[in-house]
Amino acid sequence: MDRTARHSETRYGNRPTMKDVAARAGVGLKTVSRVVNSEPGVTPDTERRVQEAIDALGFRRNDSARVLRKGRTASIGLVLEDLADPFYGPLSRAVEEVARAHGALLINGSSAEDPEREQELVLALCARRVDGLIVIPAGDDHRYLEPEIKAGVATVFVDRPAGRVDADMVLSDSFGGAREGVAHLIAHGHRRIGFIGDQPRIHTATERLRGYHTAMTDAGITVEDAWVSLGSTEPGRVRDAAEKMLGGPEPVTALFAGNNRVTVTAVRVIAEREGPVALVGFDDIELADLLGITVISQDAAAVGRTAAEHLFRRLDGADHAPVRVELPTKLIPRGSGELPPA
């Protein structure tokens, strides 16, 4: 065989088929199908010939076609905010482990915090006949999913509630965690505490801000407008907010960072200053233990595992009313949140 012909046989998209296996083994297609799917009715000698042909050709069973004939894909979709965010790594891994234990594949996608992209991605997964969905919402209106849910696509929302549809949801206690973190700063003598958070349209951002205000009110502290900043977690925006709070004649003496990306920028800003500034961040960050950063930690793996377990219970036939599960957070003191006011 010449080089051109050999290349043609092995180019991408030209995979060997069951027809190729049948021709090489000298048997019918039904016989190959029985061997591939481990069905009875094939003699040992014929099975050996078919297996030798499979090995020689590098044939792999087309599971996509097989599951479509059965009407199920044995797969679930996971729509995240940002695949690069460290919070979602252990969450995704936990979902994948539960899916694997149930013999299902996991398909990941990122909405990039864009509601239109979220809807496009979710519906694309539904079009590919996933059995279930785990969604971290970017938008606040999920009525577009109602036909899919009615058609049997099990759906669980994670980290933030669903918008305008009834569905299972698994959340962390953003309000309670923020309240505890700010109360921790107050207990160490701080009265001028700044809050830097995410976009105000995001449920977790508003819940953490509510926790901040509640802790301050409980301590009899009146919050000044200049102490609060919500918006993009882009480093430039966060840096500007932190520097304004830490500058001027009456600067804040402590910062509460609303999520891990805010915390990273806040650490950099504080490191550039001479005086001590206390810091508590919501979400753990890499090297926080070595840097001595006090955090409110979410168990991302527990969130993912709980969501996946609820999803597979639905797939197994559970038809109870939608449930809301709220997992606790944990304060981890490491030094930065225990600094007293200068």
Side-chain angles (χ1 to χ4, degrees):
M1 182 183 295
D2 64 25
R3 183 178 301 172
T4 302
R6 189 161 53 245
H7 174 73
S8 176
E9 283 191 358
T10 58
R11 72 181 186 276
Y12 175 78
N14 193 20
R15 298 176 180 175
T17 65
M18 284 206 295
K19 185 181 289 187
D20 297 325
V21 174
R24 186 179 183 100
V27 299
L29 277 173
K30 182 61 178 175
T31 299
V32 175
S33 176
R34 284 173 176 159
V35 173
V36 168
N37 294 299
S38 301
E39 296 174 357
V42 182
T43 66
D45 181 64
T46 300
E47 182 177 1
R48 176 185 55 76
R49 292 194 346 255
V50 171
Q51 192 59 54
E52 287 175 352
I54 287 172
D55 294 340
L57 293 171
F59 170 80
R60 294 292 182 271
R61 184 175 67 186
N62 186 346
D63 280 340
S64 295
R66 181 169 178 260
V67 296
L68 283 175
R69 287 194 298 272
K70 290 176 175 290
R72 292 177 65 87
T73 60
S75 64
I76 62 171
L78 172 60
V79 179
L80 304 167
E81 174 197 345
D82 181 359
L83 290 169
D85 190 316
F87 173 74
Y88 296 121
L91 187 153
S92 177
R93 178 62 181 273
V95 172
E96 185 176 21
E97 289 300 318
V98 175
R100 184 169 179 266
H102 286 81
L105 294 175
L106 177 66
I107 305 171
N108 281 333
S110 174
S111 70
E113 204 62 77
D114 180 346
E116 290 186 5
R117 182 167 170 176
E118 173 212 297
Q119 180 173 339
E120 178 183 318
L121 181 56
V122 167
L123 293 180
L125 289 167
C126 290
R128 284 158 178 77
R129 299 169 67 94
V130 294
D131 298 298
L133 290 165
I134 295 176
V135 180
I136 295 171
D140 57 6
D141 187 348
H142 294 90
R143 286 177 295 176
Y144 70 86
L145 256 174
E146 285 182 337
E148 308 299 336
I149 294 173
K150 288 178 181 177
V153 179
T155 305
V156 178
F157 289 85
V158 174
D159 195 41
R160 308 163 188 173
R164 308 180 74 174
V165 295
D166 291 326
D168 294 333
M169 64 185 75
V170 179
L171 317 172
S172 290
D173 184 8
S174 286
F175 166 76
R179 182 179 183 177
E180 182 179 18
V182 175
H184 186 73
L185 290 168
I186 294 170
H188 285 81
H190 296 277
R191 295 295 179 271
R192 302 178 63 84
I193 302 170
F195 177 95
I196 305 177
D198 209 333
Q199 303 278 5
R201 63 180 174 80
I202 297 174
H203 170 80
T204 49
T206 57
E207 282 296 283
R208 292 167 196 176
L209 178 60
R210 188 167 70 90
Y212 163 83
H213 276 295
T214 300
M216 298 290 271
T217 299
D218 288 347
I221 302 171
T222 300
V223 175
E224 297 184 15
D225 291 343
W227 297 354
V228 175
S229 178
L230 296 181
S232 164
T233 57
E234 190 272 326
R237 202 285 301 182
V238 175
R239 172 176 286 276
D240 182 63
E243 289 177 345
K244 285 180 180 177
M245 291 180 190
L246 294 170
E250 291 186 301
V252 298
T253 62
L255 289 175
F256 185 86
N259 67 24
N260 51 9
R261 284 163 290 186
V262 174
T263 302
V264 169
T265 301
V267 168
R268 291 192 172 115
V269 172
I270 291 171
E272 296 167 2
R273 305 185 69 83
E274 292 185 4
V277 177
L279 172 67
V280 174
F282 203 110
D283 287 342
D284 217 341
I285 61 172
E286 190 174 3
L287 302 181
D289 53 339
L290 296 179
L291 295 172
I293 308 301
T294 297
V295 299
I296 300 296
S297 176
Q298 303 183 79
D299 191 339
V303 171
R305 183 169 54 254
T306 302
E309 288 170 348
H310 275 277
L311 184 74
F312 281 99
R313 278 198 284 273
R314 289 294 187 189
L315 291 173
D316 288 339
D319 61 355
H320 53 74
V323 298
R324 175 184 175 125
V325 178
E326 194 163 76
L327 300 180
T329 57
K330 180 181 179 182
L331 171 69
I332 305 178
R334 295 185 177 127
S336 70
E338 293 69 57
L339 294 172

